[in-house]
Structures are given as C-alpha cells and as structure tokens.
Amino acid sequence: MAVRSPAPAPRVIAVVGPTAAGKSDLGVFLAQQLGGEVVNADSMQLYRGMDIGTAKLTPAERGSVPHRLLDIWDVTETASVAEYQRLARAEIDRLLSEGRTPVLVGGSGLYVKGAIDALEFPGTDPGVRAALEAELAEHGSGALHARLAGADPEAGRAILPSNGRRIVRALEVIEITGKPFTANLPGNDAVYDAVQIGVDVARPELDERITVRVDRMWEAGLVDEVRDLEARGLREGRTASRALGYQQVLTALAGECTEDEARAETVRATKRFARRQDSWFRRDPRVQWLNGAVEHRGELPGRALALVERAVTA
C-alpha cells in the first residue's frame, strides 16, 4: 500500500489483542503512515535477550520505525507496572511534544491501561508481602492462585496460575485494602486522547497460529536463547523466568521434562494466555475490533488507518 501523507491523528494509538494476532506488524504500519514511533506494551519484550520467545520484531522487521521500551531491563529485574507507567508516559509525552504519534503496541492489558488511563497503584506492606512470598516458596503458586480465585474471581481469571509474583501482589492489595484486587483498578478514565484498535482472530485460526509460532521459535533456537539467559541469571529473575516458553524450557534444562514436552506445554499455556488477553480487552468498550483473519490480512492495515482518520474527524 502506498504511503499516505500523514493525517491528523489521535494523541495516542493503541494496538491491542491476543498474542499472534498480528499487532506488531500493524503497529509498524500505522507508525509509518502517521509519522510516529512504536512504544512497546509487551511486558516480556522489555527484557534484554528475550527475543525469540517473545516474538520480538527484528530490526529489519521494524521498517525503520523507532521502537521504544524494548530491551531496557536485565532478566534479573522484577517487572513493575508502576515503573512501566512512568517510562511509557515519558515516551508518550516526548512524542506528543515533538508533534509525533505514539503507537502503543502490546497484549499486556494492565500495561496498556497503566500507560493511557488514570491508574494509581496501592502501596505495599513489607510484612504482608514477606508472608505471602514465604507461602509462595513453600506451597507454590497454584495454592495461592486458588485463594486468589476465591477472593477475587475476576483477578483469578486474569492472572496466570504460574505467575507467582502477580498473584502475591494481588493478594497483598486485597489484604491491605480489604477489597478485591480488581476493585482497585479504575474504570476507563483516560489521561490521553486515544483510539484503541483490537486485532480480532477467531479462536481456531489463532490456536493454529500459536502452534506454528511456537514451532518456529524452537527452530529459531529458543532453547539456546534460554540457555544463554540462564547463564545471565534468568532463573533468579522473578518475572522473566515465568515468561511463556522460557519457563517451560528452564524446566526441560533442569531435567524435569523433555524438550518435546516443554514445547507442547508452551503451546497449551500460550493458548490459555491468549484467551485471557482477549477477555481482558473485550471488557473495554473503547476497543474497536478489526478482523485480523488471514483472508482479511491485506485489508487490515487500510481499515485500521481509516478507523484512525475517522476518529480524528468525528
């Protein structure tokens, strides 16, 4: 498609949806057309060296579009939505001050919300946190996730049972505030004028894409990537070590399963995660969904651009 002259754009564009839907390529296209830059909103693409398993675009695939908030943390660092919010808003504000369009791209729902909505984070209680972390170490994330699902079913659906760090944080907030974790999340009070574009792919096709993507990750050397990151402290990284694919390969490297079993579990876990992502974004009525099925792939960029332009003139 020919490059158009940049049209007036909403202050921020967010391209959201489940993994393997095609968000990254669409984000590059919109940034090219609108004279913008991509701001990463995938929590695991923030980590240096986690390239294959997060489907991070190569420099060539980025089409000369600057990508911000990629490769900023070591795998030993614990992710923080509050810190991401600070960094993302700094990038968004910089781009706006330059008259350029920030294109937020990613499937980490809380990160997207933290960037563009009025989201404030409850404080922490070291005693409560320490007690919960001790339980996590002794009993594992499954038991704590069951407790969370009982106290806050919506949070239980949104947070993966393997994500011990987020489960601990949710239970900590519940104990501190006396309210469900999700009750502490605000509504849809935006801090930026934004248009959110959801890339919609029917479940059977999305499941097939996920299977193919995981197979390609293995062929591209995911096991070697994880082995290299293990030497750089991946196992000690409380967030990075739980990333899909990385967690499963670490289990295989420890001799607790075969590589084939790790690959199959990565496919299963990623499919479950994609459903959680889709459910999260479906709850936000501001997301405007476009068909990303393979038979509509050629139409998707033009429709997304038209949607953005309509939002400007509406």
Side-chain angles (χ1 to χ4, degrees), residues 222-286:
L222 177 60
V223 173
D224 287 338
E225 179 174 274
V226 175
R227 189 178 286 112
D228 290 343
L229 291 171
E230 183 182 22
R232 291 157 51 185
L234 178 61
R235 285 192 186 275
E236 288 69 52
R238 292 168 58 190
T239 305
S241 65
R242 296 295 182 180
L244 291 168
Y246 296 86
Q247 179 181 8
Q248 287 76 18
V249 173
L250 284 172
T251 300
L253 293 177
E256 297 172 19
C257 70
T258 67
E259 284 190 19
D260 285 344
E261 289 169 338
R263 184 193 303 213
E265 178 54 31
T266 299
V267 171
R268 286 191 292 268
T270 305
K271 289 177 180 178
R272 291 194 298 267
F273 180 59
R275 285 156 174 71
R276 292 172 185 270
Q277 290 175 297
D278 189 70
S279 176
W280 173 282
F281 290 114
R282 295 282 176 187
R283 292 198 298 267
D284 190 336
R286 298 170 300 174

Side-chain angles (χ1 to χ4, degrees), residues 37-229:
E37 297 183 4
V38 168
V39 179
N40 169 50
D42 181 312
S43 62
M44 294 304 165
Q45 291 194 6
L46 293 159
Y47 287 102
R48 282 186 286 272
M50 293 177 65
D51 301 332
I52 298 172
T54 66
K56 197 177 291 178
L57 293 184
T58 66
E61 291 169 335
R62 296 171 199 171
S64 300
V65 172
H67 280 58
R68 308 301 179 182
L69 302 189
L70 290 177
D71 306 321
I72 63 171
W73 291 339
D74 290 329
V75 292
T76 54
E77 294 190 45
T78 300
S80 161
V81 182
E83 176 63 9
Y84 171 80
Q85 179 187 66
R86 184 186 69 80
L87 295 169
R89 289 187 180 179
E91 292 291 350
I92 291 170
D93 291 343
R94 176 186 61 80
L95 287 163
L96 294 176
S97 70
E98 296 172 358
R100 310 194 69 202
T101 302
V103 182
L104 198 68
V105 181
S108 298
L110 196 57
Y111 280 57
V112 174
K113 192 170 189 65
I116 64 176
D117 285 346
L119 179 60
E120 296 184 4
F121 301 94
T124 186
D125 184 310
V128 171
R129 171 68 65 91
L132 288 167
E133 288 181 343
E135 287 188 55
L136 177 67
E138 183 176 355
H139 302 294
S141 61
L144 288 183
H145 188 268
R147 187 197 306 177
L148 175 63
D152 186 346
E154 187 174 352
R157 288 189 293 270
I159 299 174
L160 289 171
S162 61
N163 195 334
R165 186 193 61 81
R166 284 198 65 197
I167 295 167
V168 164
R169 175 57 177 160
L171 289 171
E172 179 191 21
V173 169
I174 291 170
E175 186 158 343
I176 291 171
T177 66
K179 298 186 292 186
F181 176 69
T182 48
N184 289 279
L185 299 179
N188 299 324
D189 299 324
V191 297
Y192 295 104
D193 178 18
V195 60
Q196 297 188 58
I197 301 171
V199 184
D200 182 27
V201 179
R203 187 161 295 173
E205 181 179 339
L206 189 66
D207 283 351
E208 177 59 25
R209 288 191 195 184
I210 288 169
T211 300
V212 170
R213 172 180 280 192
V214 171
D215 286 344
R216 287 176 177 167
M217 287 174 177
W218 245 261
E219 293 164 5
L222 177 60
V223 173
D224 287 338
E225 179 174 274
V226 175
R227 189 178 286 112
D228 290 343
L229 291 171

